[in-house]
Amino acid sequence: LRRRSPASAMLPSRAPALCTALRRAAPAGLASLHSSARRCRAARVAVVLSGCGVYDGTEIHEASAVLVHLSRGGAEVQMYAPDVPQMHVIDHSKGQPAEAESRNVLVESARIARGKITSLAKLTTADHDAVIFPGGFGAAKNLSTFAVDGKDCKVNREVERVLKDFHKAGKPIGLCCISPVLAAKVLSGAEVTVGHEEEEGGKWPYAGTAGAIKELGAKHCVKEVTISFPAHVDTKNKVVTTPAFMCETALHHIFDGIGAMVKNVLKLTGK
């Protein structure tokens, strides 16, 4: 027979009495503990897509990075996209428009969302603690007309509504790559980054976007894409931005920079 230690021998007879004593001694403390656990819930984050593919929709690597970092951060995610036609369709193998094709932004975005996607018209601040916009030229073509009109662009009315509603509610907004132009256009005086303001021999091929952001009335903040300085946090407006593929660099730097943006967005939710 295996001998029990004195401590283990005490458990069967004294455990019920110990539990009773704890309940009598600190009922308020126990109730507080349980209620605190109930209050500790995951941040609910909406991710807004603009199609599927860097040249005419959402940049897929950026969307994936956003989703991975949100998953790692324990967030509950719902994806949205406007139910509108794309500006045009690009043959990504050639980098040229496919003249005979037309596609729907919501339908194409469903490819990234694995079918679990909702029309942007149904996105409300009441259901979410934050919203994030990955980049890709879809932000400049399907969520706005920035690709064609620059500083004179118009923003999709549902995108504009969402940005204004989250800003008014004091809930954080995350944007990467070229999508910060949306905040620059809609949120007066916002601070954003798209990286550097000079091309620097092709390292920052879209550096001209920074000038357009300034013309829109926003403040542009020069930032690196690497993990050292990868995101800008506009604490006043709760807008978090990172350059991502505005820079020609290694994929893991893009991934890490987006992770910094997501981390700051989640931090601003207070969850």
Side-chain angles (χ1 to χ4, degrees):
L1 293 173
R2 186 173 61 185
R3 295 180 61 189
R4 290 186 296 174
S5 68
S8 62
M10 291 170 61
L11 290 175
S13 60
R14 297 194 61 182
L18 180 61
C19 290
T20 301
L22 284 171
R23 283 196 297 270
R24 289 176 177 172
L30 288 173
S32 175
L33 175 64
H34 291 303
S35 62
S36 295
R38 285 194 296 270
R39 287 197 299 269
C40 184
R41 62 177 179 80
R44 301 166 300 170
V45 181
V47 176
V48 180
L49 304 178
S50 61
C52 181
V54 57
Y55 297 127
D56 59 9
T58 298
E59 212 296 323
I60 298 170
H61 297 293
E62 291 181 8
S64 180
V66 167
L67 296 173
V68 168
H69 287 295
L70 285 173
S71 176
R72 184 169 288 155
E76 296 177 3
V77 177
Q78 173 62 52
M79 283 173 270
Y80 296 85
D83 188 1
V84 296
Q86 289 186 187
M87 171 186 155
H88 60 186
V89 177
I90 296 292
D91 180 339
H92 281 60
S93 69
K94 299 176 181 177
Q96 298 292 329
E99 301 294 349
E101 291 191 43
S102 63
R103 299 185 186 181
N104 177 278
V105 175
L106 178 63
V107 172
E108 289 301 294
S109 298
R111 295 175 179 271
I112 297 174
R114 297 172 64 87
K116 297 178 181 179
I117 196 162
T118 304
S119 172
L120 186 60
K122 297 181 179 179
L123 172 53
T124 68
T125 56
D127 294 330
H128 300 284
D129 301 304
V131 62
I132 292 178
F133 292 77
F137 282 103
K141 293 180 177 180
N142 303 326
L143 303 187
S144 72
T145 64
F146 182 79
V148 176
D149 300 323
K151 66 180 181 63
D152 298 317
C153 67
K154 293 180 175 60
V155 175
N156 173 279
R157 65 180 182 179
E158 292 296 342
V159 172
E160 182 174 2
R161 174 188 63 80
V162 167
L163 288 169
K164 288 182 175 179
D165 286 355
F166 273 80
H167 183 256
K168 183 178 180 181
K171 295 185 175 184
I173 300 166
L175 309 103
C176 64
C177 196
I178 201 167
S179 66
V181 299
L182 302 172
K185 176 68 176 180
V186 173
L187 306 179
S188 179
E191 297 179 2
V192 301
T193 188
V194 290
H196 283 210
E197 298 178 358
E198 301 292 336
E199 291 190 17
E200 300 177 17
K203 182 179 179 181
W204 296 90
Y206 311 108
T209 305
I213 283 173
K214 293 176 183 179
E215 291 182 303
L216 287 168
K219 178 180 179 181
H220 182 261
C221 303
V222 174
K223 288 284 182 176
E224 300 294 338
V225 74
T226 57
I227 195 63
S228 301
F229 304 98
H232 179 73
V233 182
D234 177 352
T235 53
K236 179 182 177 181
N237 293 296
K238 291 191 175 181
V239 174
V240 187
T241 51
T242 191
F245 277 106
M246 297 297 278
C247 180
E248 291 290 338
T249 188
L251 180 58
H252 68 279
H253 292 315
I254 308 295
F255 184 87
D256 290 345
I258 290 173
M261 181 267 285
V262 170
K263 183 177 180 179
N264 279 287
V265 167
L266 293 178
K267 182 178 180 181
L268 287 171
T269 68
K271 297 298 175 68

